Amino acid sequence: MDVVYLDFAKAFDKVPHERLLRKVEMYGVGGKALAWIREWLRDRKNRVLVSGKKSTWREVLSGVPQGSVLGPILFVIFIDDLEEAVTAGQVISMFADDTKVGQTVEKEEDQRTLQETLNRLMEWVDKWGMGFNVEKCHVMHVGRGNGHCKYSMGATELKRTTCERDVGIMISENLQPSDHCKKAARTAGAVLTQILRAFHYRDRHTYVRLYLQYVRPHLEFASPAWSPWKREDINCLEKVQEKAVKQVTGLTGRTYLERLAELGLTTLEERRAETDMVQTFKILKGIDDVDEKQWFERQDHTRVTRARQGTDVLKLQRADHEYRRQYFSQRAARGWNSLPESARACRNVGAFKAALRALRATAAPTPEIGH
């Protein structure tokens, strides 16, 4: 598959107001609501301050105010029909101004089809007063047998990328999470260093709260999308937490797992497994607004073995490659099926988390880092 990552030039600043309002009206917003949005956008002015000198005020004729709640919503409405440029068999994903389009490329005709889609996207931005920063638009070639086809936008040939930041996650062309793990560990490690410099007495109450609030989120953000399976990647993240708990006053001479138990913490690996199960629970119980069939297929309960009784057993799909076997829907299905029926039958997230904690308390301890 070839995936083209698109970059809008000054995305939020270039949305034409009148054209935006017409699209908002097409979505059925009218009357006082539409009038309020129009008044919210109009009569905005800005100026530039450089070295104490100020420019004159200039009226803002385009763009949606950044830092607001309504701004991103209006931007999404404005670019929503961008997907009309995509043909059948192609994939387009849009999250605010993060947009990408991809297609399986097995023959020359597939490359031409994707190129034609890029041409239509260029026509769309010209029509609606937007623009792409073509120098920052990249193509990623995924797959061992990929032919590395060339693509262009306008007169500029797109540069190849082997790793791209995609909605906060580093996506590599080999589909492995190593690059993301390294970046998450670097970012979390830098924040931890700042905390260690600022606090010389690290009591288990204040210092641990700082770690949980400012460091650990960098190590866990959106983990269902990139959870590692190689030991080197697992250890890369775990070592940051190991360094953090080593600094707690009064815990010298204890192992990593003993320190975690003393502080009421668990390994990051265990937390990622729990996060997978909680996300699976939310999908299967309809708590998250996600189409269950896009992720899981329930096993026919009439064919379930005695060891896996119940109707909430998930069917494992065929996986020829390691990164497919470790994909969220695959590893989550394995973990879900291993849970007792009493846990799968919980009715709310709180009860389900309590059931997971109870199971963890009776499970065998996780090996130390490096083992």
Side-chain angles (χ1 to χ4, degrees):
M1 173 172 278
D2 286 343
V3 182
V4 178
Y5 286 86
L6 304 173
D7 184 88
F8 284 100
K10 300 181 180 179
F12 285 81
D13 296 328
K14 295 191 68 174
V15 177
H17 288 170
E18 290 304 319
R19 296 183 184 185
L20 168 63
L21 291 170
R22 287 205 298 271
K23 285 195 173 185
V24 172
E25 191 172 13
M26 288 172 58
Y27 272 82
V29 179
K32 292 184 178 180
L34 182 64
W36 186 92
I37 294 174
R38 177 179 284 107
E39 292 301 317
W40 184 68
L41 292 172
R42 68 185 299 180
D43 295 333
R44 290 183 178 271
K45 299 180 179 180
N46 60 19
R47 63 181 179 181
V48 180
L49 173 64
V50 179
S51 301
K53 298 186 181 297
K54 304 173 184 177
S55 69
T56 57
W57 288 99
R58 298 292 298 271
E59 186 176 359
V60 178
L61 301 177
S62 64
V64 292
Q66 299 184 46
S68 63
V69 175
L70 188 57
I73 296 175
L74 292 178
F75 180 81
V76 169
I77 290 176
F78 188 76
I79 70 168
D80 188 57
D81 61 344
L82 186 69
E83 62 182 12
E84 294 179 3
V86 176
T87 60
Q90 293 179 336
V91 177
I92 185 169
S93 175
M94 298 185 291
F95 184 85
D97 59 336
D98 288 324
T99 304
K100 55 186 174 292
V101 59
Q103 176 176 313
T104 301
V105 179
E106 297 177 338
K107 49 186 181 293
E108 187 176 341
E109 181 182 349
D110 297 331
Q111 186 271 343
R112 288 197 300 268
T113 302
L114 183 53
Q115 180 60 61
E116 291 170 0
T117 296
L118 295 177
N119 296 339
R120 288 193 294 272
L121 292 174
M122 293 294 288
E123 294 173 359
W124 185 94
V125 295
D126 289 340
K127 174 183 178 181
W128 292 102
M130 298 287 285
F132 287 121
N133 189 341
V134 180
E135 291 297 326
K136 293 184 178 180
C137 295
H138 301 138
V139 58
M140 179 180 292
H141 304 292
V142 180
R144 297 176 183 175
N146 196 296
H148 295 182
C149 298
K150 304 293 184 180
Y151 301 93
S152 61
M153 297 182 73
T156 305
E157 182 178 305
L158 296 183
K159 298 177 183 177
R160 176 188 173 187
T161 180
T162 58
C163 185
E164 196 77 12
R165 185 179 178 87
D166 192 345
V167 197
I169 299 173
M170 303 304 297
I171 302 295
S172 302
E173 65 177 5
N174 61 9
L175 301 181
Q176 295 185 15
S178 299
D179 289 330
H180 181 82
C181 292
K182 292 174 183 177
K183 186 178 186 306
R186 285 196 303 268
T187 303
V191 176
L192 177 61
T193 299
Q194 292 178 337
I195 294 176
L196 294 177
R197 288 176 179 174
F199 294 86
H200 297 287
Y201 180 75
R202 296 137 193 173
D203 65 284
R204 65 181 62 193
H205 178 68
T206 304
Y207 170 73
V208 171
R209 286 186 63 185
L210 290 171
Y211 165 74
L212 297 179
Q213 184 167 350
Y214 295 108
V215 180
R216 195 169 69 178
H218 291 291
L219 302 170
E220 297 185 326
F221 170 74
S223 65
W226 56 267
S227 185
W229 61 89
K230 291 185 176 180
R231 181 50 56 182
E232 59 183 313
D233 295 332
I234 294 172
N235 289 347
C236 175
L237 299 169
E238 208 74 52
K239 285 178 180 178
V240 179
Q241 179 166 271
E242 183 186 29
K243 178 182 177 181
V245 298
K246 269 187 177 179
Q247 307 302 319
V248 179
T249 304
L251 295 181
T252 56
R254 305 188 188 185
T255 67
Y256 173 52
L257 294 182
E258 289 172 344
R259 289 189 177 100
L260 290 179
E262 183 72 22
L263 298 173
L265 304 177
T266 61
T267 65
L268 298 175
E269 187 175 4
E270 290 175 318
R271 285 181 56 81
R272 287 193 298 272
E274 180 177 319
T275 301
D276 279 353
M277 293 299 94
V278 172
Q279 184 61 65
T280 304
F281 180 86
K282 291 180 178 179
I283 293 174
L284 295 177
K285 303 299 181 180
I287 298 174
D288 280 356
D289 187 15
V290 175
D291 184 3
E292 173 190 324
K293 294 181 180 179
Q294 288 187 345
W295 295 98
F296 304 113
E297 180 181 353
R298 295 184 188 248
Q299 185 71 270
D300 183 357
H301 71 276
T302 62
R303 301 176 62 183
V304 176
T305 65
R306 291 183 179 180
R308 294 181 176 177
Q309 294 178 353
T311 58
D312 276 344
V313 176
L314 301 178
K315 184 177 180 180
L316 291 176
Q317 304 296 327
R318 178 180 175 181
D320 297 328
H321 300 285
E322 182 66 19
Y323 48 77
R324 176 60 182 165
R325 286 192 291 270
Q326 299 297 336
Y327 188 60
F328 168 72
S329 59
Q330 288 288 92
R331 68 172 189 272
R334 292 194 299 269
W336 179 263
N337 291 345
S338 68
L339 296 177
E341 186 178 0
S342 59
R344 300 198 303 264
C346 291
R347 295 189 177 183
N348 58 69
V349 175
F352 182 68
K353 287 183 176 180
L356 292 179
R357 287 192 293 269
L359 291 171
R360 189 175 63 211
T362 59
T366 302
E368 291 283 358
I369 294 177
H371 293 265

